[in-house]
Amino acid sequence: MSQTSKGVRIFRWFVFLITLGFFLYRFVDTAPGFFGAQFRFLTIWAMTASLVSAWFMVRLAMGWSTSRHEVWASVTVVMNATVVLMYWKIYLTDPSLFYGDGGRVNAWHQEYFIHGLGPALQAFDALFILGTFRPIKRIFGITVMIPVAYILWIELLVHPLNTSPEGRVTAGLPYKFLNHLDLPGRVQFYGTTVLTMLALMATAWGIAWILRRVGWTKMA
């Protein structure tokens, strides 16, 4: 599929602008007084990666750059898929694990974009237009590095420098349910999350491989 066709340009500008809008809105919508602000949440790490990836795709579509940034786009897909899977699994089990009893749930349009439409748009571009998941060794390495960096961020800085949300065991970790877990419990959850990311990476790689085999992404 041509990376510079009119349809691709329109699509990529739409994805970039709507992602930028929701990204900027989080600066206004996030409750003040927390160290790390909205960047306490893995969701926002994924949205930031999505915004950068969307801009890379706009540059490619407009002919402003020939760099495809496949690794970045691939890792963004994995991050988004992890956020979506973990969010809906926990939310559908018990919303209070995220928001607490009577906690404020974000506006529906924000929830469905961040945990649905936005990641779907990024994945569609990466898999069906750009054709990604080829330099798998680099993708694997960064896929492992990101959750490790995030875990260190929330455990060593966010946790000790915030006093809420509060849980049954501790306080200050960004997600309510994490504060219900002791350190061994959190380590187990973090390990499960990393393995989930690797499984999603392998799934996305398989889809990308099939698309190349059937000739959908001929530039791959």
Side-chain angles (χ1 to χ4, degrees), residues 35-84:
F35 173 80
Q38 67 267 37
F39 294 100
R40 293 173 295 145
F41 302 105
L42 183 62
T43 300
I44 306 305
W45 281 42
M47 182 182 285
T48 304
S50 292
L51 180 63
V52 174
S53 184
W55 175 244
F56 285 157
M57 296 305 99
V58 166
R59 291 198 312 164
L60 180 62
M62 298 303 295
W64 299 338
S65 173
T66 57
S67 297
R68 290 166 56 86
H69 295 286
E70 288 187 38
V71 174
W72 188 283
S74 301
V75 173
T76 298
V77 169
V78 176
M79 289 179 66
N80 280 328
T82 303
V83 166
V84 170

Side-chain angles (χ1 to χ4, degrees), residues 56 67-76 78 132-147 198 201 205:
F56 285 157
S67 297
R68 290 166 56 86
H69 295 286
E70 288 187 38
V71 174
W72 188 283
S74 301
V75 173
T76 298
V78 176
T132 51
F133 287 91
R134 293 186 302 175
I136 193 62
K137 291 182 179 180
R138 291 171 59 196
I139 295 167
F140 173 85
I142 297 174
T143 297
V144 172
M145 287 171 56
I146 287 174
L198 293 177
M201 180 200 71
W205 175 85

Side-chain angles (χ1 to χ4, degrees), residues 23-40:
F23 176 80
L24 294 176
Y25 180 66
R26 292 297 295 174
F27 283 89
V28 177
D29 188 56
T30 301
F34 290 94
F35 173 80
Q38 67 267 37
F39 294 100
R40 293 173 295 145

Side-chain angles (χ1 to χ4, degrees), residues 95-106:
S96 69
L97 294 174
F98 273 124
Y99 302 106
D101 295 330
R104 182 175 69 91
V105 180
N106 293 327

